[in-house]
Amino acid sequence: MREESSTNDAYKGDTTKRNTAHPLTSVPTLTMSDGHQIPQLGFGTYKIVGAGAQAAIEQALELGYRHIDTAQMYRNEAAVGSAIAASGIPREQIFLTTKLNNDRHDPDSARRSLDGSLARLQTDYVDLFLIHWPMPKAYEGHYPDTWRVMQEFVADGRARSVGVSNFEVAHLQRLLDEVGVAPTVNQVEAHPLFPNDAIHTWMSNHGGIVEAWKPIVRGEILHDPQLVAAAERLEHTPAQLILRWHIERGDVVFPKSTHPERMRENMGIFDFSLDDDARTLLNSMDRGEAGRTGAHPDEFNDVIYVQGA
């Protein structure tokens, strides 16, 4: 059972702080199956690299974001760590996620890989560590062995929670059948064109949470005339309506932008609710599998090498 609250102060499972909000914004949290809380809005760092990466992440933290999502594959963990250190915000007030790279599924490699991430992030733990892709046709399909190793990281405190990313229902069921532990989180492609309802149903039935990457389809539907009209009626932007749709269906979302005005816009989704017409419109955009824009997890098996991961 997931519990929703409005804390934005500490995400280490301290339920005594459940009703505290950050002064800059009030971001709801969901309680994961292991008891830890996760903010429903985060700052995505995919493709935020190079000289301006640290500054962009610092700006997000300054504006009030307290959930940062990175990955070994993104090649920006060091910038994330430096931004958090420079912010002066206590580590326990930031929910930090990173992901295991595809060339580190071997158990010993996974162990070393997390140590490398912690060093780059300048922390001794992450709040959430995810297997980035199942890669069912690589490593002889032994991704349950990787999931078994992930449980070690919770036991030794290097990860407060563990989960997966881009896992289909069959992959999730295999983890449960062979390891006996369902993921707390599954980060997948999800948006109005491809709501990924089968994943939602499985995760909900097993106490899990869905995180949505590409939540606004990278702007593809922002100019839809009906959506624009709905946004005008609700006095918010089309992007805010889409993000609000995610929030109301229980997703965790990571809109990504390096522009402060867009960062602020993406945070402005907690002062209104969708009306029935807007909700019906967004639900009607579902194209099924044709709406998927990224790789299908059954077919993505690229062992992408990241030096130092």
Side-chain angles (χ1 to χ4, degrees):
M1 178 71 66
R2 293 182 302 178
E3 179 178 325
E4 190 170 335
S5 63
S6 58
T7 181
N8 198 26
D9 250 0
Y11 307 112
K12 297 167 69 174
D14 183 356
T15 55
T16 65
K17 295 185 178 180
R18 192 169 285 169
N19 295 316
T20 305
H22 187 272
L24 295 182
T25 183
S26 181
V27 176
T29 68
L30 301 174
T31 300
M32 296 186 287
S33 57
D34 60 7
H36 292 122
Q37 295 179 66
I38 183 169
Q40 247 187 307
L41 175 69
F43 183 70
T45 66
Y46 179 54
K47 292 189 176 180
I48 299 180
V49 294
Q54 180 178 336
I57 298 160
E58 286 184 28
Q59 179 72 71
L61 291 167
E62 182 179 342
L63 289 172
Y65 286 89
R66 294 294 182 269
H67 182 177
I68 306 297
D69 181 82
T70 184
Q72 294 168 356
M73 189 185 295
Y74 299 171
R75 295 177 170 87
N76 60 15
E77 287 179 318
V80 171
S82 294
I84 291 173
S87 74
I89 300 167
R91 171 65 184 86
E92 64 270 13
Q93 293 184 15
I94 297 172
F95 191 101
L96 181 58
T97 298
T98 194
K99 308 177 193 72
L100 180 70
N101 199 53
N102 291 353
D103 65 337
R104 296 293 185 265
H105 275 219
D106 174 77
D108 286 337
S109 294
R111 295 181 183 104
R112 292 191 299 270
S113 183
L114 179 54
D115 285 337
S117 285
L118 295 177
R120 289 186 291 275
L121 292 165
Q122 301 179 46
T123 184
D124 58 3
Y125 73 95
V126 290
D127 295 277
L128 182 61
F129 192 44
L130 306 179
I131 301 175
H132 207 149
W133 289 87
M135 299 196 301
K137 297 178 183 177
Y139 302 100
E140 299 180 345
H142 289 170
Y143 55 86
D145 291 340
T146 310
W147 180 236
R148 192 171 285 109
V149 171
M150 298 283 278
Q151 311 312 308
E152 295 178 12
F153 305 148
V154 175
D156 64 26
R158 287 183 289 167
R160 298 294 167 89
S161 302
V162 290
V164 297
S165 179
N166 300 302
F167 274 54
E168 293 288 287
V169 167
H171 308 144
L172 295 167
Q173 189 62 49
R174 188 176 168 199
L175 296 185
L176 184 59
D177 292 344
E178 296 188 23
V179 184
V181 181
T184 59
V185 163
N186 188 12
Q187 186 177 130
V188 296
E189 179 179 355
H191 44 73
L193 301 185
F194 182 63
N196 221 336
D197 287 333
I199 297 297
H200 254 275
T201 298
W202 195 98
M203 292 297 293
S204 179
N205 287 344
H206 296 85
I209 291 170
V210 169
E211 296 184 331
W213 59 260
K214 200 182 288 186
I216 57 174
V217 210
R218 293 183 183 161
E220 182 178 337
I221 59 176
L222 294 183
H223 302 293
D224 178 275
Q226 290 180 286
L227 183 59
V228 170
E232 291 176 352
R233 183 176 69 251
L234 294 173
E235 299 182 336
H236 283 74
T237 68
Q240 287 174 324
L241 265 61
I242 297 171
L243 292 174
R244 184 68 201 180
W245 175 84
H246 282 284
I247 295 298
E248 292 185 9
R249 73 198 297 259
D251 293 347
V252 174
V253 290
F254 302 104
K256 184 199 71 168
S257 179
T258 57
H259 303 290
E261 65 276 10
R262 289 283 182 257
M263 295 181 193
R264 291 189 188 93
E265 177 185 337
N266 292 335
M267 295 178 75
I269 58 175
F270 302 109
D271 60 350
F272 79 108
S273 297
L274 297 179
D275 60 21
D276 289 342
D277 288 344
R279 189 176 300 107
T280 298
L281 170 64
L282 288 162
N283 288 339
S284 73
M285 294 182 177
D286 181 5
R287 299 177 184 172
E289 189 62 33
R292 187 192 296 270
T293 64
H296 194 293
D298 279 338
E299 303 302 326
F300 186 81
N301 297 279
D302 294 343
V303 183
I304 299 171
Y305 177 67
V306 177
Q307 186 172 8

